[in-house]
Amino acid sequence: METQTGVRAITDELAGWLADTPGNAVPEAVREAARWLILDHLGCAIGGSTLQPGKILLELLGEQGGAPQATVFASGERTSLLNAIYLNSALSNLLDFDDTLAGHPGGTAISPALNVGEQLGRSGAEIIEAIAFAYEIMIRVQNAGRPSPERYRLVYGLSVWQTLGAVVAAGRLLRLDREQWRHALGLAAVNAPVPNMRKLGLELDERPFSWSKNNYGWASQGGVLGALLARRGFLGNDNILDSERGFWRMAGSDRWEPEAVLDGLGDSWQLPRTGIKPYAACRWTHSAIDAVRLLREQHPDLMPELIAGLELETFYEVARNLSAAEPTDIIDAQFSVRHVMALELAGRSARTGMNEADLHDPQIADLRRRITLIEASDLSQRYFDSHETPARLALTTTGGETYRIAIDIPWGDPSVPFSEADRLAKYRALSFPVIGEAASERLEEGILNLNELPTVSEILPGRQA
C-alpha cells in the first residue's frame, strides 16, 4: 500500500504482517532466547517488589481491587488484567536488572503477554510467539525514530516507543485482524507516556532520580488497552506511523527512517540481540563495572586501600549525567557510575543487587571520591552512532603503578553472554526470598519448558494446585 505521495504506508504493512504471519514463523533460536528473557523478567518483577517503590505500588493498586483476572507475580494475588499488567511491568524495572536493547524491551512485552495469555488460556507457544513479535515491532520502530544527538539530549523516552511492544504482545494473543491491528496501533500510540527521560532525574540538577523510572507500567497498560479496544471495534488513528505528523513526531524525535522498520522484517529477528544484565544498575555503567571487575581479577592483591585514583573515560551520558557522588536511595544509586564502581572495588558488586547501607558507608564514599570521569568524544560518537557503551579505565595505585583496561561491549550482551548457570543463579536469588523455593522452582521449570505448556496459569505463583 502507498500513500498519495507514493510513500509506503508503514502502519498498514505492519498490520498485515502482524495479522497474517503464522506463529510458527518464529525460529527455534528465537524461542530459546525468549524463554531465558521471560525467566529473567519474572525474577526482576518478583525481586522489584522488595524495594520501597515496589511496596508502595503493591499496596496502592491492591487497595483498588478488581476482578481476579490475572496474577501479580510477586504476590501470587489476582486482580484485574490492567492492574496486574501495570504492577508486573513497573516492578520488573525497579531493580534496573532487566533485559536491555536500546531500552528494556521485556518491560512492556513479557508481562502483557503472560497476563493476557493467562486470561485467555493461550498456550505457552503462543505466548512465546507474541513476545517475539512484540520485540520485533517496538525495537524496529524505536530504531527507525532514533533522534539526532542534539534532539536526544533535549527529549527522549523509552516507554513511549515500548508501548508498541505491549499492544503487539496483546494483539497477537487476541488474534486481531488487519483492520483491527491498524486501529490497535493507533490507540496504543495515543496512550503512550510522554518521552520523559530528561525530566526523570537523569541530569544532575534534576536529582534524585524519579521512582517512576521508565513508566513501563503505564506504557504496558496503555498498549494492552489499545488492543482490547480495537478487538471490540473501537476506532483509533489507522495510519499512526505514517507522514510527517506520525508517531515519531509524537515521541519527540526529529528523524524518521520508515524503511528501517520493514527491511528484513521476519528474517532478522530482534529478540536474540537482547542482553541479560549481570548488574543491578543502569546499563550505561556496565562497561565501567566490567573494567573494575576484570582489573581486580587480574590483580587479586589490589585492595581498596591500595588504590590512589581511577580515571574513567566514557561517553556523554555517563560522564555528565551518571556522575553523582552521593546517591540518596537505591534508585538514585542505579544511575551513579561512581557508586557502582566503588561497590565493585570493595567487593560488594551490584551483581547481587544493592544495599541501602552502602549508600552511607565511609569506605564506599571514599572510593567514590577517588573516581574521575572524562567524556571522550570518540566514545560519545560510538554511543550515538550504534548504541555502544564503551569505557576506558586507568587505575593508579598508591605505589605509583597504573593499570589500564578498555571495554567495548559489556558482559551480558549476546556477544559476551551471561552463562546459563549465571542466569539461573540470578533468577533464583531474586525469586527465592519473595515467593519461596518451591514456587520459584515450579515457575523456573515451567518457563524453560514453556513451548510445551498448554496454558501458563498452572505455573504462576499462587495458581498452583
Side-chain angles (χ1 to χ4, degrees), residues 23-24 26 31 35 122-132 173 449-455:
N24 61 16
V26 179
R31 294 171 186 269
R35 287 191 283 266
R122 301 298 190 224
S123 70
E126 288 178 281
I127 290 171
I128 288 174
E129 291 155 10
I131 290 168
L173 293 166
N449 293 283
L450 187 58
N451 211 44
E452 289 75 47
L453 286 186
T455 68

Side-chain angles (χ1 to χ4, degrees), residues 197-273:
M197 181 187 290
R198 298 303 172 188
K199 291 299 289 185
L200 279 179
L202 186 65
E203 279 74 11
L204 290 183
D205 62 354
E206 300 280 355
R207 292 295 181 111
F209 206 90
S210 169
W211 287 1
S212 67
K213 301 192 74 179
N214 293 312
N215 207 3
Y216 285 151
W218 195 265
S220 290
Q221 194 176 70
V224 172
L225 181 60
L228 292 170
L229 288 171
R231 181 69 180 81
R232 293 177 179 235
F234 200 95
L235 300 184
N237 181 286
D238 66 355
N239 63 349
I240 197 72
L241 299 176
D242 302 295
S243 86
E244 288 296 308
R245 302 181 303 278
F247 182 56
W248 60 283
R249 288 281 193 201
M250 297 161 58
S253 185
D254 58 349
R255 297 197 299 199
W256 177 239
E257 299 176 7
E259 293 304 318
V261 179
L262 301 174
D263 289 347
L265 182 64
D267 295 324
S268 55
W269 290 82
Q270 301 298 306
L271 185 147
R273 298 175 50 227

Side-chain angles (χ1 to χ4, degrees), residues 332-350:
D332 208 34
Q334 295 164 1
F335 298 87
S336 168
V337 71
R338 297 178 194 271
H339 185 71
V340 293
M341 289 174 69
L343 292 178
E344 196 70 31
L345 285 166
R348 308 181 206 176
S349 178

Side-chain angles (χ1 to χ4, degrees), residues 121-235:
R122 301 298 190 224
S123 70
E126 288 178 281
I127 290 171
I128 288 174
E129 291 155 10
I131 290 168
F133 278 82
Y135 274 67
E136 189 71 7
I137 299 305
M138 75 171 124
I139 291 168
R140 284 178 170 274
V141 173
Q142 181 179 3
N143 287 340
R146 186 167 173 81
S148 66
E150 295 76 21
R151 177 62 63 88
Y152 179 81
R153 290 173 179 175
L154 289 174
V155 57
Y156 195 67
L158 297 174
S159 56
V160 60
W161 304 100
Q162 288 190 214
T163 303
L164 298 183
V167 70
V168 171
R172 282 290 301 190
L173 293 166
L174 288 164
R175 301 169 183 169
L176 302 183
D177 63 28
R178 187 173 189 146
E179 181 178 0
Q180 290 167 340
W181 269 118
R182 290 198 302 270
H183 292 285
L185 292 168
L187 291 166
V190 299
N191 287 341
V194 297
N196 63 347
M197 181 187 290
R198 298 303 172 188
K199 291 299 289 185
L200 279 179
L202 186 65
E203 279 74 11
L204 290 183
D205 62 354
E206 300 280 355
R207 292 295 181 111
F209 206 90
S210 169
W211 287 1
S212 67
K213 301 192 74 179
N214 293 312
N215 207 3
Y216 285 151
W218 195 265
S220 290
Q221 194 176 70
V224 172
L225 181 60
L228 292 170
L229 288 171
R231 181 69 180 81
R232 293 177 179 235
F234 200 95
L235 300 184

Side-chain angles (χ1 to χ4, degrees), residues 7 47 49-50 59 71 93 163 178 194 217 221 227 243 261 274 288 313 462:
V7 178
S49 68
T50 63
E59 179 181 356
T71 301
N93 185 233
T163 303
R178 187 173 189 146
V194 297
Q221 194 176 70
S243 86
V261 179
T274 307
E313 287 187 275

Side-chain angles (χ1 to χ4, degrees), residues 81-152:
L81 176 64
L82 293 178
N83 270 1
I85 285 169
Y86 185 101
L87 280 168
N88 289 328
S89 294
L91 292 173
S92 74
N93 185 233
L94 282 182
L95 292 169
D96 228 272
F97 228 165
D98 43 340
D99 70 5
T100 178
L101 178 61
H104 306 279
T108 58
I110 295 175
S111 286
L114 288 170
N115 283 139
V116 173
E118 172 191 10
Q119 188 192 33
L120 296 175
R122 301 298 190 224
S123 70
E126 288 178 281
I127 290 171
I128 288 174
E129 291 155 10
I131 290 168
F133 278 82
Y135 274 67
E136 189 71 7
I137 299 305
M138 75 171 124
I139 291 168
R140 284 178 170 274
V141 173
Q142 181 179 3
N143 287 340
R146 186 167 173 81
S148 66
E150 295 76 21
R151 177 62 63 88
Y152 179 81

Side-chain angles (χ1 to χ4, degrees), residues 427 432 435-444 459-462 464:
Y427 162 76
F432 276 21
I435 63 173
E437 187 171 340
S440 176
E441 289 179 346
R442 184 183 180 91
L443 184 58
E444 174 188 314
I459 64 168
L460 295 177
Q464 295 89 347

